[in-house]
Amino acid sequence: MDGRPGLDPDTVTVLWCTADGDERRKAHTLLVRAAAGMLDVPPSEIWLEHEESGRPVLRGAGSAVRISVTHGRGALAVALTGGACVGVDVEVVRRLRAEAMARAWLDPAEAAWVTALAEEQRPAAFLWLWTQKESVGKALGRGLRRGGMSRRVPLPEAWPPVGDLPPVLRPLPAGPEVASAAVLVDGGRRVIGVAQRVGTEGEGGGAARVRVHRVSPAACE
């Protein structure tokens, strides 16, 4: 580490905000500005590109920062770290057929956990798992292909979670290649999933601490 927060391999910084349209452009704007601020360089020295797999990458002065981007349904989030590959996903907590969706797509143990909850708690619980799976797929660079929805992720230690607590990345039950977590934000109206590769040669050691911050929509304009 060279002392610049954007290159800290032990921290994943997640910034999120609401949006009333054009979420993709605003997420990219926030990402570049955040990286420039962390690295103390002008935004003009950083630009965004995509690898053949679709994974977003920063070029120029931001090339050492690993990133992930998510947007949609009136919200966006970006994740930045100087450590291993990272993934982030955000979803609006809303009415959905959580029990049926859990039985159809999730690992049986996860589906059993969702369906055992009170009906009004199931949508948030399902999305708690869904956002982690999306994030894990991004951290691995392959999305939800190759059984991504059935790939087990850590269940919360208590439900519902208390407050907007910083998420603690925990290794997936199937192995230590990736660690993930989720957190409810905005008074429980949204859930953010975060994941990071761990123990990969040349990409740092264990799972990092996560810092989640809400920013003003003006930061994305």
Side-chain angles (χ1 to χ4, degrees):
M1 178 179 172
D2 67 359
R4 293 181 293 179
L7 296 183
D8 184 353
D10 300 320
T11 302
V12 175
T13 298
V14 177
L15 306 175
W16 77 275
C17 71
T18 57
D20 58 2
D22 205 7
E23 288 89 351
R24 178 183 177 86
R25 179 191 63 78
K26 292 176 180 178
H28 292 175
T29 298
L30 175 61
L31 179 65
V32 170
R33 287 181 177 174
M38 289 178 171
L39 297 170
D40 193 25
V41 300
S44 59
E45 294 186 14
I46 298 175
W47 61 93
L48 180 69
E49 294 182 357
H50 289 82
E51 298 177 340
E52 288 187 11
S53 65
R55 186 200 298 271
V57 292
L58 292 179
R59 301 301 190 195
S63 59
V65 183
R66 300 295 180 90
I67 61 168
S68 184
V69 183
T70 182
H71 48 81
R73 294 184 180 271
L76 58 91
V78 301
L80 308 93
T81 182
C85 294
V86 67
V88 67
D89 188 54
V90 62
E91 287 283 347
V92 176
V93 177
R94 58 196 184 276
R95 294 185 62 181
L96 46 79
R97 298 175 62 243
E99 181 175 356
M101 294 168 71
R103 293 186 186 280
W105 294 335
L106 302 185
D107 174 87
E110 295 172 334
W113 173 71
V114 171
T115 56
L117 297 172
E119 184 174 358
E120 66 273 12
Q121 295 180 351
R122 292 173 190 164
F126 177 84
L127 293 171
W128 178 279
L129 301 178
W130 175 284
T131 56
Q132 288 186 71
K133 292 172 189 287
E134 289 273 15
S135 299
V136 168
K138 292 180 179 181
L140 291 172
R142 59 176 181 250
L144 293 177
R145 298 186 297 276
R146 298 182 226 170
M149 280 306 297
S150 61
R151 185 187 299 120
R152 288 183 62 191
V153 296
L155 297 174
E157 296 179 354
W159 192 266
V162 179
D164 293 356
L165 299 177
V168 177
L169 295 176
R170 293 187 290 156
L172 270 60
E177 181 184 12
V178 184
S180 71
V183 61
L184 290 171
V185 298
D186 198 20
R189 288 183 285 272
R190 292 174 174 83
V191 58
I192 295 175
V194 188
Q196 186 179 34
R197 297 192 69 164
V198 295
T200 303
E201 185 177 354
E203 288 194 331
R209 60 184 177 270
V210 181
R211 295 174 177 167
V212 179
H213 305 281
R214 183 173 185 172
V215 301
S216 166
C220 309
E221 297 294 344

